[in-house]
Amino acid sequence: MKAFLLDIDGTTLLGADPLPGAQAFVTWLRAEGIPHLWMTNNTSRSRSAWLARLEAAGLEPRPEELYTSGDATIEYLGAHHPEARIYLVGPQELRGDFEAAGLNVVEAEADTVVLAYDVELTYAKIRTAALLLQEGAAFFATHPDVTCPTPEGPIPDVGSFLAMFELACGRTPVVIGKPEATMAAGALARLGVEAHEAVMVGDRLATDLAMARRAGLMGCLVLSGVTAQDELFGATAQPDHVFADLAAVHDWARTAVV
Ligand SMILES: [Mg+2]
């Protein structure tokens, strides 16, 4: 185990607070010189907002320890479609990250639609994106999650928006974030490790654990988030290990590493 990939919501944080063991585990990883990367599909926030959230939870994140599906999408487009004229269906602060990376985000004459977790979604944006897709624009989505958990209950996320565009336009996107191997490859490249040397820890079978399976990482499920133990029966993306929370992952890693 040369590196850990840690999901954020339901694994590291619950709302604004660190989940049990999160701070101690990260402190231990740093002391052992084992790199980690916080990975989230949630593109409703900018990188700086995510770093501030981890900082407020006492986790002292370094910028290089964060990798969002927005980062993975920016890297993918920069590598494969650097000239794309992008219509971004996403919040204003995410647009800042795209522009800071040198991508061309436009309001008119776009040839590419990128769908993110747009918590500022309007009908005008839906209309523009739908017309572009019908004209044949390339189509990308930062991640496929159908809902986003909140303390009050699940609310529509990118996967729900995708269903609408599929119904209206008959188009499905290239998805970049978890569970796609694209995001795993980007994370492994950042950490400088091979897939078999990395451990993915997450709370969602369909994204975190499915990505671990597809990309050849060890997959650890924590039960501190959206998945209950009884959901494991019959699930297609089975984890290699199941733990209550990061405190239990820490106990296991301590004995496994030594
Ligand atoms: Mg999660």
Side-chain angles (χ1 to χ4, degrees):
M1 294 186 292
K2 289 192 177 171
F4 278 82
L5 312 184
L6 306 176
D7 172 53
I8 299 182
D9 283 307
T11 301
T12 302
L13 303 181
L14 186 63
D17 299 321
L19 278 158
Q23 286 164 319
F25 184 47
V26 169
T27 301
W28 178 80
L29 287 172
R30 289 182 176 136
E32 292 290 319
I34 301 170
H36 74 279
L37 205 54
W38 277 293
M39 291 179 78
T40 179
N41 268 357
N42 189 327
T43 47
S44 68
R45 298 160 186 260
S46 63
R47 283 186 57 79
S48 58
W50 274 111
L51 289 167
R53 190 166 172 231
L54 291 163
E55 182 71 41
L59 294 161
E60 300 175 5
R62 298 167 193 153
E64 66 271 21
E65 291 171 342
L66 174 68
Y67 193 57
T68 73
S69 71
D71 295 327
T73 303
I74 287 167
E75 283 178 5
Y76 184 88
L77 292 171
H80 299 284
H81 304 280
E83 305 300 323
R85 294 176 55 81
I86 298 165
Y87 185 71
L88 177 64
V89 183
Q92 193 62 32
E93 59 180 73
L94 183 70
R95 178 177 180 146
D97 286 349
F98 273 62
E99 290 175 336
L103 293 175
N104 189 16
V105 182
V106 298
E107 291 300 320
E109 295 177 36
D111 58 20
T112 301
V113 173
V114 176
L115 191 57
Y117 186 12
D118 193 353
V119 290
E120 299 155 7
L121 187 63
T122 62
Y123 197 82
K125 290 185 187 178
I126 294 170
R127 181 180 191 278
T128 300
L131 294 173
L132 286 165
L133 292 175
Q134 285 164 38
E135 290 162 9
F139 189 19
F140 297 91
T142 56
H143 61 286
D145 301 49
V146 174
T147 58
C148 177
T150 74
E152 296 82 24
I155 56 174
D157 198 336
V158 166
S160 296
F161 306 158
L162 290 176
M164 175 178 66
F165 286 111
E166 186 169 4
L167 269 175
C169 312
R171 296 286 308 275
T172 54
V174 173
V175 178
I176 303 294
K178 300 179 283 187
E180 298 302 324
T182 311
M183 185 147 174
L188 295 171
R190 286 202 171 196
L191 290 163
V193 299
E194 303 288 329
H196 69 273
E197 299 171 323
V199 183
M200 175 75 213
V201 186
D203 70 315
R204 198 178 275 243
L205 290 168
T207 53
D208 302 314
L209 278 302
M211 185 189 75
R213 269 278 167 270
R214 286 187 195 187
L217 285 64
M218 182 183 285
C220 295
L221 177 73
V222 284
L223 300 172
S224 50
V226 297
T227 305
Q229 184 132 32
D230 59 9
E231 290 175 55
L232 283 169
F233 297 109
T236 50
Q238 287 290 331
D240 295 294
H241 301 281
V242 181
F243 299 102
D245 52 26
L246 279 184
V249 175
H250 186 184
D251 286 341
W252 165 75
R254 227 174 352 210
T255 54
V257 163
V258 168

